[in-house]
Amino acid sequence: MISNRREVSPLSEKEKVSEEVTETNEVEESTVDESTEETEVVSEVDELKKQLEETEDKFLRARAEIANITNRNRNERELLQKYRSQDLGKKLLPVIDNLERAMNSEVTDEQSVSLKKGVEMVLESLRQALKEEGIEEIPATGVAFDPNLHQAVQTVPASDDCPADTIVEVLQKGYKLHDRVLRASMVVVAQ
């Protein structure tokens, strides 16, 4: 009887080992490829997260800077509004001084009296307009000397009526706009 079997030649030991090494290498390569791909994906995700955090930080800083600029501008506008009359007030102070000097002059005839009454009305209107803008006279006579508000131009000896560091006489009135001094009062102080 003839058998239909084919005889398979036995593989040599070298060939068997070679096949096993090749299969092992292929498995290892596929595992290495997969782990490399995973680490690449993980590192890419980490990189994107880092970029997102940096972008968010930049955004928050920019938003805070815009808020600071807005607040600074609002404060500057408020200050400009509050002190808008400063330059005009400084220019009008000599006018008030001259009108007050005119009011101190002696008049005898009727025409001079009516002229003085007109000057008094102008002076009062001017004072009222300045007061509406926040410009006020700095109180001086009889108050304690304050170097922030008063300028001492002369001193006199202190007495029982005038204690030390008290203003005795005002030589020129001082004015302030809200909390800002436009012109310090020129005064005589008891020492």
Side-chain angles (χ1 to χ4, degrees):
M1 229 179 140
I2 301 178
S3 81
N4 287 337
R5 279 193 210 175
R6 268 194 209 168
E7 278 199 35
V8 180
S9 67
L11 291 174
S12 69
E13 280 300 311
K14 274 186 171 180
E15 291 175 344
K16 285 182 182 178
V17 170
S18 174
E19 275 184 22
E20 288 176 4
V21 168
T22 306
E23 288 176 5
T24 305
N25 285 343
E26 288 175 2
V27 169
E28 286 178 357
E29 285 177 10
S30 68
T31 306
V32 168
D33 288 344
E34 288 175 7
S35 67
T36 305
E37 287 177 17
E38 285 179 15
T39 53
E40 286 177 4
V41 169
V42 169
S43 66
E44 188 176 329
V45 168
D46 289 341
E47 183 66 29
L48 289 174
K49 283 182 181 178
K50 184 178 176 184
Q51 287 176 357
L52 176 64
E53 288 173 2
E54 289 174 0
T55 305
E56 284 178 345
D57 184 54
K58 287 179 184 178
F59 170 73
L60 291 175
R61 287 178 188 274
R63 196 159 96 181
E65 183 65 25
I66 290 171
N68 289 340
I69 290 170
T70 303
N71 289 338
R72 199 174 315 122
N73 286 339
R74 184 179 59 243
N75 291 341
E76 286 176 7
R77 281 193 312 272
E78 288 173 0
L79 285 176
L80 286 174
Q81 180 68 22
K82 184 176 181 180
Y83 298 114
R84 73 181 187 277
S85 304
Q86 182 173 341
D87 291 336
L88 179 61
K90 284 182 179 180
K91 291 175 183 173
L92 289 177
L93 294 181
V95 174
I96 291 174
D97 293 338
N98 291 333
L99 290 173
E100 287 175 346
R101 279 190 211 102
M103 292 301 300
N104 291 334
S105 65
E106 292 295 322
V107 292
T108 53
D109 61 8
E110 191 176 309
Q111 187 178 9
S112 298
V113 170
S114 64
L115 181 62
K116 187 174 179 179
K117 181 70 174 166
V119 170
E120 183 180 358
M121 290 170 53
V122 169
L123 180 60
E124 190 56 38
S125 297
L126 187 56
R127 283 181 180 155
Q128 184 62 34
L130 291 177
K131 187 175 183 179
E132 288 174 4
E133 290 297 316
I135 298 174
E136 299 174 345
E137 184 179 328
I138 297 173
T141 304
V143 300
F145 176 74
D146 181 357
N148 297 319
L149 301 174
H150 309 114
Q151 178 182 358
V153 292
Q154 186 179 351
T155 59
V156 294
S159 65
D160 293 335
D161 295 338
C162 299
D165 291 331
T166 302
I167 297 174
V168 178
E169 183 182 353
V170 178
L171 301 176
Q172 183 181 43
K173 292 180 180 179
Y175 293 88
K176 63 181 179 176
L177 173 62
H178 302 294
D179 56 349
R180 234 182 234 181
V181 175
L182 294 179
R183 179 176 76 186
S185 299
M186 294 176 67
V187 296
V188 177
V189 181
Q191 288 289 324

